[in-house]
Amino acid sequence: MSSPDITGILETSKDLDRLRREQDEILQEINKLHKKLQSAPEMVEKPTDSSLSKLRALYYQARDLSENEVSVSNQLLAQLDALLPSVPAPGQQRRRIDGSEQKKKRMKTDSDISRPSPSIRNQLEVAASLKGEQVAARVTPDDADKDEWFVVKVIHFDRDAREFEVLDEEPGDDEESSGQRKYKLPMSHIIPFPKRNDTNGVPDFPNGRQVLAVYPGTTALYKATVVNPHRKRKTDDYVLEFDDDEEDGSLPQRVVPFHKVVALPEGHRQ
């Protein structure tokens, strides 16, 4: 286990802690507004009152922070998966049980059944809310020689198996079968994209940071480096240099929208 690996995990953990602190702050503001509205519900009828607008904005921020928590949690899982021995994914650890064991299982009370923690439940809620959204997905297995990431559409999320069903709407010319292709992928293989129209909680990658980004004109994501030091706003386009994109002995600089750039998973193989 190398020092850079540990450093990457610690940095991702800090990002996760920051997101949770921000969620706590937003929740406090939401609770304050709730109490205000409960004590004086008639105030919303005043033309000058903006309580409902503020409450809606806070809920949007809470939702986006939750989605970013899922993204960072998935990145942390990928970092840990790269360092630990491979284990069966959730939903694959089942074994055949005989009739007596099955009866015992049915006789368990609800209190005997383990329930996910609030944080896990929150992640599952956010994962389920991604239905119909485009996300970045790693479609190759853990033992593949290299990782392949594509833009896909979420069709369904299975809470029990913690597994996404996604659709590659634009498969490449080298696909074995023509037409759209479906995949079933674990949560650690999915990274939500930043919201295009709501930038609260959108990551801001500094100059020199390595990222995963959609290559212009394609639906494939590749490793790239941020090279625009004068980027001022989180909604500004990124200028990137993609690995293995050499032309005439140099790497061309390509412009990519901020909502098509995500954090580079630890241990990415390209």
Side-chain angles (χ1 to χ4, degrees):
M1 186 180 298
S2 65
S3 178
D5 292 332
I6 295 298
T7 301
I9 290 174
L10 293 176
E11 289 179 354
T12 307
S13 298
K14 289 179 182 178
D15 289 340
L16 193 60
D17 289 338
R18 174 184 58 79
L19 285 169
R20 288 176 176 168
R21 286 196 301 270
E22 292 179 5
Q23 288 182 76
D24 289 339
E25 292 172 1
I26 293 296
L27 184 59
Q28 291 176 8
E29 293 297 321
I30 289 175
N31 289 335
K32 287 179 182 177
L33 267 178
H34 282 174
K35 292 179 179 178
K36 184 178 178 181
L37 292 172
Q38 288 172 355
S39 62
E42 69 279 359
M43 64 186 297
V44 299
E45 298 178 3
K46 297 179 181 180
T48 57
D49 185 74
S50 59
S51 298
L52 294 180
S53 297
K54 290 179 180 177
L55 189 60
R56 181 177 63 179
L58 287 170
Y59 272 116
Y60 272 123
Q61 292 181 46
R63 182 198 64 186
D64 292 339
L65 286 169
S66 296
E67 291 178 353
N68 284 328
E69 182 186 358
V70 171
S71 176
V72 175
S73 296
N74 286 340
Q75 181 183 352
L76 190 56
L77 284 171
Q79 290 173 321
L80 292 169
D81 287 345
L83 297 178
L84 295 172
S86 59
V87 296
Q92 295 180 343
Q93 298 177 354
R94 304 189 182 103
R95 60 184 177 86
R96 188 172 297 175
I97 54 180
D98 59 29
S100 61
E101 286 181 304
Q102 187 68 42
K103 290 178 183 177
K104 291 177 182 178
K105 185 177 179 181
R106 285 199 296 266
M107 291 172 63
K108 284 187 176 181
T109 63
D110 289 343
S111 60
D112 295 328
I113 301 173
S114 61
R115 293 179 174 84
S117 67
S119 178
I120 294 297
R121 287 201 301 270
N122 185 42
Q123 292 181 29
L124 295 176
E125 289 291 338
V126 173
S129 73
L130 292 174
K131 182 178 180 180
E133 299 280 344
Q134 285 191 332
V135 297
R138 194 183 96 194
V139 300
T140 46
D142 292 336
D143 58 356
D145 293 334
K146 63 179 182 178
D147 299 335
E148 293 184 2
W149 288 81
F150 297 120
V151 178
V152 299
K153 181 178 180 180
V154 176
I155 301 174
H156 176 70
F157 176 68
D158 186 331
R159 290 172 180 267
D160 294 330
R162 299 186 186 181
E163 187 177 67
F164 284 93
E165 183 177 2
V166 300
L167 177 67
D168 184 359
E169 299 178 285
E170 300 181 23
D173 296 334
D174 57 346
E175 294 288 344
E176 294 180 1
S177 58
S178 59
Q180 300 174 337
R181 183 174 180 181
K182 293 181 180 180
Y183 298 91
K184 288 188 176 181
L185 303 170
M187 292 176 66
S188 60
H189 285 211
I190 299 293
I191 303 179
F193 284 118
K195 294 292 184 182
R196 184 182 308 190
N197 299 322
D198 194 345
T199 59
N200 292 312
V202 170
D204 188 10
F205 301 113
N207 192 49
R209 176 68 63 86
Q210 291 185 322
V211 296
L212 195 66
V214 178
Y215 189 85
T218 75
T219 57
L221 292 92
Y222 299 98
K223 181 179 175 182
T225 303
V226 179
V227 292
N228 51 335
H230 304 298
R231 188 172 178 272
K232 297 180 179 179
R233 298 175 301 176
K234 292 192 292 185
T235 54
D236 289 343
D237 291 339
Y238 282 98
V239 178
L240 304 175
E241 289 181 352
F242 285 88
D243 287 17
D244 305 321
D245 189 31
E246 187 172 325
E247 289 184 0
D248 299 326
S250 62
L251 293 175
Q253 296 184 350
R254 304 191 186 276
V255 177
V256 179
F258 78 95
H259 54 87
K260 294 298 183 185
V261 180
V262 297
L264 181 70
E266 187 72 17
H268 175 72
R269 298 161 299 181
Q270 181 170 307

